[in-house]
Amino acid sequence: MKIFNGKILFLDRSDINTDEIIPAKYLTELTKEALKPYCLEDLSLPGFDPKRDIAGKSVIVTRANFGCGSSREHAPWVLECNGINLVIAENFARIFRQNMFNCGLMAISLKKSEIDEIFATFAGAEATLVTDLAKKTFTVSNAKISKVFAFDIGEFDLELVKAGGWVNYADSKY
Amino acid sequence: MGKTVAQKIFDAHTVDTPAPGVRVLSLDRVFCHEITTPIAINDLVAIGKDRVFDPTKIKAVIDHVTPAKDSKTAEQGKTMREWAKRQGIKDFFDVGENGVCHAIFPEKGFIRPGFTIIMGDSHTCTHGAFGAFAAGVGTTDLEVGILKGVCTMREPATIKIVLNGKLRDGVFAKDVILAVIKLLTVNGATDKVIEFAGSAVDDMRMDSRMTLCNMAIEAGGTCGICYPDMVTVDFLWPFIGKDFSSKDAALAEYSKYLPDADAVYDKVVTLDVSEIEPQVTFGYKPDQVKSVREMEGTAVNQIYIGSCTNGRLEDLRIAAGILKGKRISENVRAIVSPATPKIYREALNEGLIAIFMDAGFCVTNPTCGACLGMSNGVLAAGESCASTTNRNFNGRMGKGGMVHLMSPATVAATAIAGVITNSPLFTGK
């Protein structure tokens, strides 16, 4: 099972699409690792610099409808290549969300009020998130404060995370 | 309690319910193209499972970048070609026979009402126009689909969009779906199926229904679905004629997948399409939509007619009808990509290609082309394109470029004017 802890990359915008996460011109790459330098290259977000802001981050916290658009699994792959195994948002585009769990990664929805609270309390400074899958909680901390948020994860999604993805799961069952 | 179309199709295909609200469905078709499939193939080889569940149910095409533009895309094509041969996949469409996946697969008669279909392409929702459940998936879902012929889906909540009334002259399915996406927003149908019902859909040919369903994903929808009727049966008849004693018998069979009268919908939205005028997008999201009238006079640099949304014969006929005897503005360059070789040939035979060329268009081979800026027709920073495609995301057609989505009629009129303008077909009546 993958690790779902680490420093948070805050992306304060809704409807971040797959073309922004990994532009189509890089879809000719034949390995996942080759995508690594192009993560979030076309993201429209004032102040965001992919070359500066992604390194060392392990969790994305963002707003609504993250990963909308294309079916390209290159989007979860490029996040994973950069050490990001967990995205937390108000909701996700269906295909992106399924792709995350299919890879054994996590895409977790929190209520809008909780996302608002995380942004209000922690964005703008270094913050860390620790996942407790057994208790289904995230602990978000900075130098001064620490807050715990409960989350829901579907039984089947959890199976995929534990199995390390859908290929392993399906091959053992069907 | 009554069932929606997707619920009926799910019930007929469920092989497992691994958890509440999740179904594992058997698949009637797995469609493949060269951008999202090779990594699945390579992974299957790497894990020692280089097999396919049923080579007759897998259909494959090279369409996004074709003919190959460089060594990497050549490698993607080679991977597909060798795999299709190795696995005995007879319906593989390579250079010379290939076209845009969501145009060529329907044209070949691969879809039936009630089918379950996946593909590693978000616009797979197009095939719901035939009353099928067709959903875009990622490479891992595709890989399992190829290997096992199954895919997981959540229970399909459905939004019903009832389109009543008659379209005004010069208003097309593209304008309708842009108006619907504006209404729903890009997140409005996330995790939901969209059923398109009403007299305006009944009046549409399959080409238009595919345009409608093609953009369901732009509202977040899993699949767009139109109800199978005699229009569907007529389209499919060359392929199904041997299976049924009459068209009525075929329709009776396919009517199993019509929704129950008491089906439960997440939401029902009713629109009078006679109130819709030609639509165009203005931003980087497909729900940023205005009327062409409001955007009149906006300059563009490039014109593009093609794609799985609007690269079909009906689209080329409409555009050519407006371009006949005219020249494009000296301020624009124009490209048309017939979506399949069959469409290309018919457009040649009907004289449409001559009209495009006389007007100053570059005619490309069938390919996804400029739509996603992977091969030809890429915009420079600061440039814009009047396009019949489906996505206007930031950077979609080239870094720093802007795409204005619109109907083939509006694109053709814009080509002549050099600025966004209503087509002469739209008179307000």
Side-chain angles (χ1 to χ4, degrees):
Chain A
M1 202 168 68
K2 301 183 191 301
I3 307 289
F4 303 101
N5 305 324
K7 287 183 190 164
I8 300 173
L9 172 61
F10 292 96
L11 301 178
D12 192 1
R13 216 199 80 196
S14 288
D15 306 319
I16 291 174
N17 65 60
T18 47
D19 286 62
E20 293 178 289
I21 299 169
I22 182 77
K25 64 185 171 190
Y26 301 121
L27 305 186
T28 60
E29 297 295 345
L30 281 161
T31 67
K32 300 172 187 180
E33 275 302 318
L35 301 169
K36 189 175 177 182
Y38 315 117
C39 188
L40 293 163
E41 185 179 280
D42 275 351
L43 179 61
S44 306
L45 185 64
F48 176 73
D49 177 358
K51 297 273 175 281
R52 179 194 66 203
D53 296 337
I54 296 171
K57 305 296 196 317
S58 305
V59 177
I60 286 175
V61 175
T62 183
R63 300 286 184 176
N65 198 27
F66 187 80
C68 59
S70 155
S71 67
R72 63 190 69 159
E73 201 161 308
H74 306 67
W77 294 337
V78 76
L79 298 180
E80 188 184 7
C81 286
N82 283 278
I84 296 166
N85 293 343
L86 169 63
V87 182
I88 299 169
E90 285 172 35
N91 76 321
F92 296 89
R94 176 190 62 86
I95 306 174
F96 176 85
R97 185 191 152 284
Q98 191 65 45
N99 286 344
M100 288 287 282
F101 285 104
N102 281 349
C103 294
L105 309 171
M106 293 212 298
I108 301 287
S109 300
L110 291 181
K111 287 193 207 98
K112 184 179 184 305
S113 59
E114 293 170 316
I115 295 285
D116 287 345
E117 186 182 347
I118 296 176
F119 270 100
T121 314
F122 297 102
E126 189 170 296
T128 305
L129 183 142
V130 175
T131 303
D132 187 329
L133 256 186
K135 287 184 186 163
K136 296 183 185 173
T137 59
F138 298 128
T139 305
V140 187
S141 313
N142 62 19
K144 297 175 192 159
I145 187 169
S146 188
K147 287 191 176 185
V148 178
F149 298 87
F151 65 87
D152 279 331
I153 177 169
E155 195 182 307
F156 181 63
D157 293 336
L158 190 57
E159 289 293 323
L160 293 180
V161 171
K162 287 179 178 166
W166 169 228
V167 177
N168 291 345
Y169 181 95
D171 200 47
S172 68
K173 286 202 66 166
Y174 305 113
Chain B
M1 199 165 68
K3 293 197 163 104
T4 63
V5 177
Q7 283 170 328
K8 289 190 174 185
I9 296 174
F10 275 35
D11 284 353
H13 290 82
T14 301
V15 295
D16 191 16
T17 309
V22 181
R23 304 226 210 164
V24 177
L25 304 177
S26 62
L27 298 171
D28 296 305
R29 291 283 181 266
V30 177
F31 292 157
C32 301
H33 66 52
E34 88 283 13
I35 298 301
T36 52
T37 314
I39 289 185
I41 296 169
N42 292 343
D43 194 56
L44 287 170
V45 171
I47 61 177
K49 297 179 194 302
D50 182 24
R51 304 188 295 268
V52 300
F53 81 108
D54 183 342
T56 67
K57 291 181 178 173
I58 297 178
K59 314 291 177 184
V61 67
I62 296 175
D63 64 351
H64 276 56
V65 184
T66 182
K69 66 170 180 172
D70 57 15
S71 301
K72 287 174 181 172
T73 50
E75 196 63 39
Q76 289 178 313
K78 181 166 176 268
T79 305
M80 292 292 285
R81 206 169 282 128
E82 292 179 352
W83 171 71
K85 193 168 186 186
R86 190 164 77 233
Q87 300 299 344
I89 297 164
K90 298 228 163 40
D91 291 314
F92 168 60
F93 304 98
D94 203 343
V95 176
E97 300 184 307
N98 56 351
V100 177
C101 52
H102 307 307
I104 200 166
F105 292 146
E107 185 182 285
K108 297 286 180 185
F110 292 154
I111 299 126
R112 300 283 178 278
F115 267 16
T116 50
I117 302 166
I118 63 164
M119 181 174 195
D121 191 286
S122 61
H123 293 106
T124 306
C125 50
T126 309
H127 308 290
F130 291 85
F133 176 81
V137 297
T139 292
T140 302
D141 272 335
L142 184 71
E143 183 175 333
V144 172
I146 288 168
L147 182 64
K148 298 284 179 178
V150 298
C151 190
T152 57
M153 287 285 159
R154 287 182 176 185
E155 290 294 334
T158 300
I159 296 174
K160 183 174 179 175
I161 307 279
V162 184
L163 302 169
N164 288 328
K166 289 263 179 214
L167 288 172
R168 285 194 259 176
D169 291 344
V171 180
F172 300 94
K174 181 64 159 287
D175 302 303
V176 174
I177 190 61
L178 286 172
V180 167
I181 295 164
K182 179 182 184 180
L183 192 73
L184 291 176
T185 80
V186 293
N187 194 12
T190 303
D191 279 318
K192 296 184 173 75
V193 170
I194 302 175
E195 283 182 14
F196 294 103
S199 60
V201 184
D202 298 341
D203 290 344
M204 286 181 188
R205 290 164 39 115
M206 288 311 299
D207 287 19
S208 292
R209 292 183 190 180
M210 285 190 258
T211 301
L212 207 57
C213 292
N214 174 270
M215 292 188 71
I217 182 68
E218 308 313 329
T222 304
C223 182
I225 290 180
C226 297
Y227 304 146
D229 60 6
M230 205 41 97
V231 175
T232 322
V233 171
D234 283 340
F235 184 102
L236 290 174
W237 193 247
F239 312 103
I240 62 172
K242 61 186 182 308
D243 302 331
F244 295 98
S245 57
S246 66
K247 288 185 177 179
D248 287 330
L251 185 56
E253 167 67 16
Y254 296 150
S255 297
K256 287 196 305 198
Y257 302 104
L258 294 177
D260 293 325
D262 58 345
V264 178
Y265 292 96
D266 192 73
K267 186 156 80 172
V268 178
V269 180
T270 302
L271 283 178
D272 179 354
V273 299
S274 68
E275 290 174 4
I276 297 173
E277 57 181 289
Q279 305 284 298
V280 54
T281 63
F282 62 90
Y284 293 123
K285 296 197 297 175
D287 61 0
Q288 291 176 294
V289 175
K290 289 182 178 175
S291 68
V292 171
R293 199 168 29 82
E294 290 171 284
M295 291 286 283
E296 187 98 42
T298 307
V300 296
N301 306 96
Q302 179 166 292
I303 298 296
Y304 186 63
I305 298 174
S307 86
C308 55
T309 318
N310 283 122
R312 297 185 181 82
L313 194 59
E314 183 179 283
D315 304 311
L316 302 192
R317 283 178 182 149
I318 290 164
I322 292 164
L323 289 161
K324 189 171 186 176
K326 302 265 181 20
R327 285 286 298 179
I328 61 170
S329 160
E330 61 186 15
N331 297 321
V332 300
R333 55 192 188 268
I335 304 163
V336 57
S337 305
T340 70
K342 184 168 183 247
I343 294 166
Y344 199 159
R345 189 181 291 273
E346 286 175 8
L348 267 171
N349 292 344
E350 289 185 18
L352 310 181
I353 297 298
I355 292 171
F356 284 116
M357 292 185 76
D358 289 344
F361 272 68
C362 162
V363 183
T364 81
N365 63 302
T367 180
C368 301
C371 174
L372 73 171
M374 280 193 79
S375 55
N376 58 37
V378 177
L379 298 175
E383 290 190 322
S384 66
C385 181
S387 179
T388 67
T389 57
N390 44 48
R391 269 192 191 135
N392 55 349
F393 294 163
N394 182 27
R396 175 79 177 178
M397 202 177 276
K399 203 174 181 76
M402 165 69 79
V403 180
H404 298 290
L405 307 174
M406 57 187 90
S407 75
T410 309
V411 168
T414 298
I416 297 164
V419 295
I420 292 174
T421 191
N422 261 315
S423 86
L425 302 177
F426 179 69
T427 57
K429 289 180 201 157

